[in-house]
Each structure stands twice: as structure tokens, then as C-alpha cells.
Amino acid sequence: QVQLVESGGGLVQAGGSLRLSCAASGRSLSSYTSAWFRQAPGKEREFVAGIRWPGGSVAYADSVKGRFTISRDNAKNTVPLQMNSLKPEDTAVYYCAAKTGPLYDTSRMYDYWGQGTQVTVSS
């Protein structure tokens, strides 16, 4: 079992930056494929970014390419998401997720989830 806890959300002006963190307990997150999803009010949960294990290849939603960066910090057992040039449409609850095996952009493929952290971008 892997327990995931997100942190780092908050209120930021458009054009600003935030760094989210997904901290794991129970097992090392370095052995899991990890991803960030987000869900805005009235919308379905959508894939934001993911990092595969093994190999470390990454994938991003088109809407965040060039602005967001996912990485892995094995020493801290975390998966950070650096978010730059934030836009009001990035406002959502951001969730960390993990699974074994390949990287997918479909939320139902993930076994472990955090409780989410709110990101609000004002215009």
C-alpha cells in the first residue's frame, strides 16, 4: 500500500508559479509510475503530467506543455510538479496518483490517490 499526500497548493495571480509536492509513505514512490491529475468544478478529472517507472519518461497534457514540469525526488520520496506561467484555467483541485506498470493518462488506471490540493489562479 502507498499513501499519498499532496501539498503546495494555494492562490496565485496569473503568470505566477506554484510547486506542488506528492509525498508518499508506506513504500518508495520510486518504484511506481506517478501522475498528477486535476479536476475543476463541474468537469471530469483530467491528466496533467506523469512520470513512468522504470525509465523515468514523462508525459504532459497539451494544455500544460512547456509550463509544467514533473520530476521525482527519490531521496525525499516525493513527486514534485513545478507549475509556471499559471493561467486562470489551471484552477482546479490537483491530485497525485500512483500505479505499477505503464504510464496512462486515464484516471481509472491508477490504484493510489491522494486527497488533493486546491490551486486557484486569479486573473
Side-chain angles (χ1 to χ4, degrees), residues 58-120:
V58 298
Y60 297 94
D62 288 343
S63 59
V64 307
K65 279 182 182 176
R67 300 188 297 122
F68 291 11
T69 303
I70 190 172
S71 59
R72 198 192 299 278
D73 188 332
N74 292 335
K76 295 181 178 179
N77 203 21
T78 62
V79 175
L81 180 69
Q82 178 67 40
M83 306 187 297
N84 299 328
S85 302
L86 283 161
K87 304 175 181 180
E89 50 264 43
D90 294 319
T91 295
V93 177
Y94 283 69
Y95 297 91
C96 178
K99 63 180 299 294
T100 55
L103 173 61
Y104 293 105
D105 62 2
T106 306
S107 60
R108 61 180 174 83
M109 301 301 290
Y110 288 78
D111 301 310
Y112 306 103
W113 290 87
Q115 293 185 322
T117 185
Q118 176 70 47
V119 171
T120 303

Side-chain angles (χ1 to χ4, degrees), residues 45-61:
R45 193 168 296 189
E46 65 174 359
F47 175 80
V48 175
I51 184 165
R52 190 181 188 276
W53 184 88
S57 59
V58 298
Y60 297 94

